[in-house]
Amino acid sequence: MLSSTIETPPDLEHAHAVEQARFMDLALEEARRAEAEDEVPIGAIVVLDGRVVATAHNETRSRCDPTAHAEMLALSRAARAVGAMRLPGAVVYTTVEPCFMCAGALVHARVARVVWAVRDEKFGGCVSLGGVLDTPGANHAVEHSDGVRAEIARDLLVKFFQRKRADARGS
């Protein structure tokens, strides 16, 4: 009997994993930039046709803007870079699961896929607290996956908030 599923050859799976890790490393670089600016260390990049078209990191504190999340800034920059408000075929790599606002923007931008490192159990709008990316009835669904470079992203976040709590106790 023939199987109805098609298996991905191991060499293609490996190449895909290497590519995802490479792009997530760029998002992690952005997260480190955020941390250096005393922002929550979250970074995002937008990839279209295999090339990075935009990068960003959280700037909510420096801009005094609750919408200046890494994903929102990266989407805005990518849209300007390609000259269109929609980004079909784009893949967004972000170090943390997008919140409801960012997930909604990903749907509106019509990105093909989003890959994040760690889930956000307190604010995640994709799988943790909600499922914005694949809401039934929406006019677009965004493929998604997580876990790429998760330990590194989690470590950045944990250390950042440990320092913040220690600084608050020391004040």
Side-chain angles (χ1 to χ4, degrees), residues 117-162:
V118 294
R119 291 186 180 189
D120 186 342
E121 302 300 328
K122 294 184 179 181
F123 293 103
C126 302
V127 296
S128 294
L129 297 178
V132 174
L133 299 179
D134 39 32
T135 300
N139 63 354
H140 179 71
V142 179
E143 293 178 26
H144 51 87
S145 61
D146 65 335
V148 178
R149 298 287 202 242
E151 288 181 32
I152 299 168
R154 186 176 296 107
D155 189 51
L156 274 172
L157 288 164
V158 167
K159 287 181 178 173
F160 176 81
F161 287 112
Q162 284 174 341

Side-chain angles (χ1 to χ4, degrees), residues 22-169:
R22 182 172 63 89
F23 287 133
M24 188 60 75
D25 285 343
L26 295 174
L28 285 163
E29 285 179 24
E30 285 295 319
R32 289 182 189 99
R33 285 186 184 95
E35 181 180 36
E37 296 171 11
D38 199 33
E39 297 277 359
V40 175
I42 299 173
I45 68 165
V46 180
V47 177
L48 190 58
D49 298 325
R51 93 184 153 85
V52 177
V53 294
T55 64
H57 57 270
N58 270 14
E59 296 183 30
T60 57
R61 293 173 185 207
S62 62
R63 290 182 182 218
C64 295
D65 181 351
T67 68
H69 290 196
E71 300 91 338
M72 298 292 283
L73 297 172
L75 287 173
S76 292
R77 291 171 186 167
R80 282 193 305 276
V82 301
M85 63 183 260
R86 305 279 189 234
L87 300 166
V91 180
V92 174
Y93 291 84
T94 181
T95 57
V96 177
E97 176 186 356
C99 69
F100 286 87
M101 173 183 68
C102 293
L106 292 162
V107 173
H108 280 289
R110 308 293 194 272
V111 301
R113 181 172 186 74
V114 61
V115 179
W116 63 85
V118 294
R119 291 186 180 189
D120 186 342
E121 302 300 328
K122 294 184 179 181
F123 293 103
C126 302
V127 296
S128 294
L129 297 178
V132 174
L133 299 179
D134 39 32
T135 300
N139 63 354
H140 179 71
V142 179
E143 293 178 26
H144 51 87
S145 61
D146 65 335
V148 178
R149 298 287 202 242
E151 288 181 32
I152 299 168
R154 186 176 296 107
D155 189 51
L156 274 172
L157 288 164
V158 167
K159 287 181 178 173
F160 176 81
F161 287 112
Q162 284 174 341
R163 277 193 304 278
K164 285 294 182 189
R165 285 190 293 276
D167 290 349
R169 285 191 301 268

